């Protein structure tokens, strides 16, 4: 299959005032596009050219480092854009809400744990809510453009929500204030999509 650079599912200014339009435009058209272009160039040099990203990640430790960095960058940002929407936020409902309450006690406790993972990731990386092989939830973070699908992960799982905590994701609006950016993120989380991801894993 040919790899496609995904459409941004909303306008650059759609997540204002929480995520500003200038950051969205640069993040999508420059950062995400560069990950896409460099991934396509890197994977062409391997026998996995054309394979789905999820499959590539299960072998990523044996592939050239640019595949890991740029393939991760491609996948992670696509999941991130789809995890947000205008007029979103609030709290999950249904089976995901139940699972969060069972694992973390409450939605607020879950958010605190996710906030810690995002705030305490040193340097560049991502915070994740993921589903482990036994269908339980887990919160963790990863460095650089790694993610929990990679065979290098110390928290192997399928991510259903991700937050980019690279400085390029927030510096124009929030400068060094990563915790303020993390707080703003909760106003744009598209729980319908996150819940659908969760339920599709349960139904596998
Ligand atoms: Mn990014």
């Amino acid at each position: 299959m040919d790899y496609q650079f995904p459409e941004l599912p909303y306008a650059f200014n759609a997540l204002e005032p929480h995520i500003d339009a200038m950051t969205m435009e640069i993040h999508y058209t420059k950062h995400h596009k560069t990950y896409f272009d460099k991934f396509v160039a890197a994977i062409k040099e391997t026998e996995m050219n054309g394979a789905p990203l999820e499959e590539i990640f299960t072998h990523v430790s044996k592939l050239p480092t640019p595949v890991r960095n740029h393939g991760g960058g491609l996948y992670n940002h696509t999941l991130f854009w789809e995890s947000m929407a205008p007029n979103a936020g609030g709290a999950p409902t249904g089976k995901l809400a139940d699972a969060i309450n069972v694992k973390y006690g409450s939605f607020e406790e879950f958010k605190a744990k996710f906030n810690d993972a995002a705030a305490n990731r040193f340097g560049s990386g991502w915070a994740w809510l993921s589903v482990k092989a036994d269908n339980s939830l887990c919160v963790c973070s990863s460095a650089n453009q790694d993610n929990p699908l990679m065979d290098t992960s110390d928290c192997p799982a399928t991510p259903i929500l991700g937050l980019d905590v690279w400085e390029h994701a927030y510096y124009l609006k929030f400068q060094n204030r990563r915790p303020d950016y993390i707080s703003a993120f909760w106003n744009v989380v598209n729980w319908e999509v996150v819940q659908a991801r969760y339920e599709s894993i349960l139904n596998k």
Side-chain angles (χ1 to χ4, degrees), residues 27 31 35 77 126 145 164 166 168-169:
H27 203 171
H31 293 277
Y35 292 124
H77 288 85
W126 291 75
Q145 294 296 348
D164 188 345
W166 284 56
H168 70 225

Side-chain angles (χ1 to χ4, degrees), residues 11-179:
F12 297 134
N13 65 357
L15 305 181
E16 292 265 12
H18 311 292
I19 310 281
D20 64 288
M22 174 80 77
T23 296
M24 279 302 307
E25 180 168 358
I26 295 170
H27 203 171
Y28 173 71
T29 66
K30 309 292 186 197
H31 293 277
H32 195 194
K33 181 64 161 54
T34 299
Y35 292 124
F36 172 77
D37 291 342
K38 292 191 171 180
F39 164 74
V40 169
I43 199 69
K44 275 197 180 123
E45 306 299 318
T46 76
E47 290 187 355
M48 293 206 76
N49 189 30
L53 285 166
E54 291 87 344
E55 189 184 333
I56 289 168
F57 294 151
T58 67
H59 303 275
V60 85
S61 62
K62 300 177 198 73
L63 293 166
T65 303
V67 169
R68 175 174 173 175
N69 289 341
H70 300 293
L74 172 58
Y75 178 92
N76 296 349
H77 288 85
T78 303
L79 184 134
F80 183 44
W81 310 141
E82 291 173 351
S83 300
M84 299 186 289
N87 306 312
T93 57
K95 288 178 182 170
L96 178 57
D98 295 343
I100 285 173
N101 289 333
V102 166
K103 175 92 188 199
Y104 301 105
S106 67
F107 179 58
E108 290 307 315
E109 288 292 316
F110 152 73
K111 272 170 65 176
K113 191 161 172 73
F114 189 98
N115 288 346
D116 281 348
N120 295 329
R121 165 51 54 186
F122 184 74
S124 297
W126 291 75
W128 305 102
L129 171 64
S130 305
V131 183
K132 294 198 281 193
D134 66 0
N135 283 346
S136 66
L137 296 175
C138 63
V139 168
C140 68
S141 70
S142 60
N144 304 317
Q145 294 296 348
D146 287 355
N147 67 49
L149 291 170
M150 293 181 174
D151 66 351
T152 51
S153 176
D154 55 13
C155 56
T158 303
I160 58 173
L161 177 66
L163 175 60
D164 188 345
V165 295
W166 284 56
E167 282 189 344
H168 70 225
Y170 61 87
Y171 207 85
L172 289 178
K173 182 176 171 73
F174 296 98
Q175 293 81 49
N176 60 314
R177 304 187 309 278
R178 189 191 286 186

